[in-house]
Amino acid sequence: MSVIEVNKLTKDYGHGRGVFDVSAHVDEGECFGFLGPNGAGKSTTIRHLMGFSKPQSGKTTINGNDCWDYSAELQHEVGYLPGEIALPDGMTGTQFLEMQKKMRGVTDASYLNTLLKKFELNPNIGLKQMSLGTKRKLAVVTAFLHDPEILILDEPTSGLDPIMQEIFIEYILEEKKRGKTIFLSSHIFHEVDASCDRIAIIRDGKIVSEFDPEVLKRESDKIYRVTFQDKKQWQDFTGHHYHFTSINERKLRARIQLKKSEITPFLADISQYHVSDFTEFPFSLEDYFMQFYHEDKVFEGVK
């Protein structure tokens, strides 16, 4: 049995908003990435996992317990980092953490002190005076201070600077080695690619793909960028029925995505032209993602 399960979850808010027949699971010790832009349904799914919202149909469970029926009990087992942070005024970060420790029943501050050091957080500041980045670090520390076995993270590095984002990814990898089970929602490709064992892409409230990123890298298409010396040759080449991901007339450049079976005929075709630059790019998670969000579109001016 999986630690976290989403089974045919539907919550329809009308006008195409919500989640529709979403299913996903996270096994023990696994980091599962939930990838999509704002409004795709990531936070709605997480609100159901946390027991904040009741499904119209389907269900969500953690450790076999229904998230709606056992929400109070499950929140003691889970480290939850919300996408949007609301902190009370009139307290310092230290006072807020002390309150959270009491609510969580934490009596040993050693792990909290480790987190404060790792995320370079000085909590002796009024919450109202904290910057967005400092508030985000406080939320991160709060989510993890009771050292939970299950982490549910909604856009966890939003508001963190690039250095702190890398520190956060390192922390997630360390927690995974410790056997933690992690559900990570994000729109940041690097964050998901660096930390997740499996990834699901959500679009318009529906999961459109689920895959192992390592398998994707091994079996992915190839991407080539070709720059031509002559406009007539550029025009002739871009008339071919390849999958062009971008076409740039000003630079006489085109980018092509090819399946393995297409590479040999492509190389035979391109050898007939005078080119000034020929570059191969590794197929990335972002490339794969964009197939679902901008299928059959060509972006003028993309380098």
Side-chain angles (χ1 to χ4, degrees), residues 247-299:
I247 294 174
N248 189 321
E249 182 177 1
R250 183 174 62 85
K251 294 186 177 182
L252 302 181
R253 180 178 290 171
R255 188 177 295 213
I256 310 97
Q257 180 178 323
L258 300 169
K259 299 185 184 301
K260 288 183 179 180
S261 61
E262 297 175 309
I263 294 174
T264 299
F266 163 73
L267 293 175
D269 283 345
I270 203 68
S271 66
Q272 302 174 38
Y273 296 92
H274 298 293
V275 301
S276 57
D277 178 73
F278 183 86
T279 306
E280 179 182 343
F281 293 92
F283 189 75
S284 67
L285 175 59
E286 182 175 358
D287 294 316
Y288 183 70
F289 174 87
M290 293 304 288
Q291 289 182 353
F292 296 97
Y293 273 85
H294 294 287
E295 256 181 337
D296 303 323
K297 291 185 180 180
V298 172
F299 297 91

Side-chain angles (χ1 to χ4, degrees), residues 7-290:
N7 186 16
K8 298 185 179 298
L9 174 66
T10 294
K11 188 61 167 271
D12 189 351
Y13 295 111
H15 306 287
R17 296 178 299 114
V19 292
F20 309 95
D21 201 35
V22 166
S23 292
H25 71 277
V26 191
D27 295 330
E28 184 176 1
E30 182 180 37
C31 184
F32 179 81
F34 208 40
L35 181 63
N38 295 335
K42 303 189 305 296
S43 293
T44 297
T45 303
I46 284 180
R47 282 195 292 271
H48 284 80
L49 282 172
M50 291 304 300
F52 300 154
S53 186
K54 186 177 183 180
Q56 283 177 314
S57 63
K59 67 188 299 186
T60 57
T61 62
I62 295 178
N63 284 330
N65 294 314
D66 186 278
C67 294
W68 176 255
D69 294 334
Y70 291 89
S71 60
E73 293 86 349
L74 289 172
Q75 286 176 43
H76 289 287
E77 304 173 29
V78 173
Y80 168 56
L81 183 58
E84 296 183 5
I85 302 167
L87 298 171
D89 293 335
M91 301 177 74
T92 66
T94 300
Q95 291 170 330
F96 180 75
L97 288 171
E98 284 299 319
M99 179 181 72
Q100 293 296 317
K101 282 171 59 182
K102 290 178 182 177
M103 292 174 64
R104 294 289 192 183
V106 175
T107 55
D108 183 354
S110 57
Y111 190 63
L112 170 59
N113 292 331
T114 299
L115 291 170
L116 292 173
K117 183 177 180 180
K118 178 177 287 292
F119 292 103
E120 302 174 8
L121 174 63
N122 175 11
N124 298 316
I125 309 170
L127 297 178
K128 195 172 184 179
Q129 284 73 47
M130 284 184 176
S131 67
L132 175 61
T134 303
K135 288 180 178 179
R136 194 68 190 172
K137 289 195 286 185
L138 178 63
V140 168
V141 170
T142 300
F144 303 149
L145 66 84
H146 57 306
D147 200 12
E149 290 300 314
I150 302 167
L151 306 176
I152 296 180
L153 314 173
D154 192 2
E155 300 286 356
T157 63
S158 175
L160 297 180
D161 63 50
I163 294 174
M164 198 53 58
Q165 287 179 2
E166 290 302 316
I167 290 173
F168 181 87
I169 290 171
E170 289 173 8
Y171 173 77
I172 291 299
L173 294 175
E174 290 168 5
E175 291 297 274
K176 198 164 64 166
K177 286 181 181 177
R178 294 177 65 204
K180 301 294 181 72
T181 302
I182 306 166
F183 188 104
L184 190 156
S185 157
S186 181
H187 68 275
I188 300 173
F189 299 110
H190 170 63
E191 176 178 64
V192 173
D193 197 20
S195 57
C196 296
D197 302 299
R198 281 188 304 114
I199 300 170
I201 295 175
I202 185 167
R203 173 182 177 176
D204 299 331
K206 299 176 182 178
I207 291 179
V208 293
S209 181
E210 185 178 320
F211 55 93
D212 179 328
E214 292 304 316
V215 173
L216 178 67
K217 290 170 188 175
R218 288 198 304 269
E219 300 179 355
S220 61
D221 297 351
K222 299 293 183 182
I223 294 179
Y224 298 94
R225 187 185 68 191
V226 185
T227 304
F228 293 82
Q229 296 178 5
D230 177 81
K231 185 172 182 179
K232 186 176 180 180
Q233 290 201 349
W234 172 85
Q235 289 174 328
D236 182 68
F237 178 77
T238 53
H240 283 73
H241 294 293
Y242 290 117
H243 179 195
F244 291 98
T245 59
S246 70
I247 294 174
N248 189 321
E249 182 177 1
R250 183 174 62 85
K251 294 186 177 182
L252 302 181
R253 180 178 290 171
R255 188 177 295 213
I256 310 97
Q257 180 178 323
L258 300 169
K259 299 185 184 301
K260 288 183 179 180
S261 61
E262 297 175 309
I263 294 174
T264 299
F266 163 73
L267 293 175
D269 283 345
I270 203 68
S271 66
Q272 302 174 38
Y273 296 92
H274 298 293
V275 301
S276 57
D277 178 73
F278 183 86
T279 306
E280 179 182 343
F281 293 92
F283 189 75
S284 67
L285 175 59
E286 182 175 358
D287 294 316
Y288 183 70
F289 174 87
M290 293 304 288

